[in-house]
Amino acid sequence: MQAVSNTPKPPKPAKNRKRINLALQGGGAHGAFTWGVLDFILEDGRLEIDAISGTSAGAMNAVALADGYTAGGADGAREKLEGFWRTMSDAAENSPIKRAPIDVLMGNWSLDRSWGFHALDAMSRIFSPYQLNPMNMNPLRDVLEDCVDFSCVRSCHKIKLYISATNVETGKVKVFDSRHLTSDMVMASACLPNVYQAVVIDGVPYWDGGYIGNPALFPFHSGSDTSDIIVVQINPVERKGIPRTPQEIQNRVNEIAFNSSLLKELRAIDFVARLIDEGKLDEAQYRRERIHIIGNQDALIPFGASSKMNAEWAFLTHLRDLGRETAQAWLAEHFDDVGQRSTVNLREMFMGVGPQHQG
């Protein structure tokens, strides 16, 4: 377990710090990987967070960070993040959704042999959450409200938050900002429609923001003067092989759907950069975004989609440590690039075409 020091550390000298925006994907328990990335960034101190756009688990990481940061700076944010994920794990301790004994014995984190996981999956395909849970009980809401002081989140002026949800009626993205943020808005961002009833805010029903913004990048264009965006990626864009079982097919459909909006925004960012390079857009009026990605798909993909519902503390801390290691390696290689150039070739990585300008 990564200990958080009670002694506040002085911030890095301003001249050595670089301002960035963070885009945090949703992904259930895999959001603990993002926790680890954030934990290392906060501990390292060389990156100054200007704004965060988050969806689902990314939104929960964002509000926990903002709450802790308002009360106690970087160390307070680290402590709050750990407390949130610890409480999440404690709340799931008596859940029937656990690894099968053979997987515990073999050290597999997947829930593919969990009877509780398969029972829930089967029921959600036959009955809606309005039939299965007419009282609309949601233990995740209890965890969120127990751990996060939203008055602190709303008063966090140092870091701006943008939380995405999907408007059920229009299919459009709704971005809630930190000035008026409530627990309902965060729950809307994490509302999987086959598991939870839609979250109604001001008469409008919302589902998980991943369908239309996982996470949304466009709020940074007008809400931040920082051009460096670091996407913390936990959902694989590419997965080799053909899905064959009903569960594998549905999981892959969800991955594609939850990545599509992000890929569209990255394509638009690349398009603007190319028009600037060709002299068709004035760089004084259009901003060139510098894109970076911190992710470790080689490590995350083998866990399988079912492990996104595994809230065991041992698994969450394993993911956290993986996130810390990944962030540490990324910063060691790319810190000098921040503020200078993108570290991702968008056209080559996401669209399968040739090299592009990396400025």
Side-chain angles (χ1 to χ4, degrees), residues 223-266:
S224 171
D225 60 2
T226 300
S227 297
D228 286 87
I229 300 173
I230 296 179
V231 179
V232 182
Q233 183 185 19
I234 56 179
N235 286 301
V237 171
E238 182 177 352
R239 186 183 288 273
K240 299 292 186 182
I242 302 173
R244 298 187 182 277
T245 69
Q247 191 175 69
E248 289 174 346
I249 292 169
Q250 187 60 50
N251 288 338
R252 188 56 185 151
V253 167
N254 287 337
E255 285 177 344
I256 292 170
F258 274 35
N259 277 317
S260 62
S261 58
L262 176 62
L263 294 179
K264 286 178 181 177
E265 287 203 78
L266 292 174

Side-chain angles (χ1 to χ4, degrees), residues 282-325:
D282 184 356
E283 195 162 3
Q285 298 182 30
Y286 292 87
R287 190 167 78 190
R288 185 196 302 276
E289 306 286 358
R290 294 183 287 271
I291 303 298
H292 317 277
I293 292 179
I294 297 179
N296 193 334
Q297 297 306 296
D298 289 342
L300 291 176
I301 285 177
F303 293 145
S306 67
S307 67
K308 292 181 178 182
M309 296 189 70
N310 183 351
E312 294 177 55
W313 184 241
F315 183 49
L316 298 182
T317 53
H318 176 69
L319 288 167
R320 176 206 59 196
D321 294 343
L322 181 62
R324 281 181 55 85
E325 293 165 7

Side-chain angles (χ1 to χ4, degrees), residues 205-226:
Y206 293 99
W207 282 339
D208 194 296
Y211 293 107
I212 203 67
N214 191 26
L217 303 184
F218 69 85
F220 295 140
H221 305 332
S222 58
S224 171
D225 60 2
T226 300

Side-chain angles (χ1 to χ4, degrees), residues 37-48:
V37 172
L38 297 174
D39 188 67
F40 185 81
I41 287 174
L42 291 163
E43 180 186 59
D44 180 77
R46 286 181 291 169
L47 297 179
E48 179 182 351

Side-chain angles (χ1 to χ4, degrees), residues 4 65 124 130 144 157 161 178 230 259 270 281 312 314 338 359:
V4 176
L65 185 152
S124 68
Y130 296 88
L144 181 67
H157 304 300
L161 301 187
S178 49
I230 296 179
N259 277 317
D270 172 69
L281 289 179
E312 294 177 55
V338 177

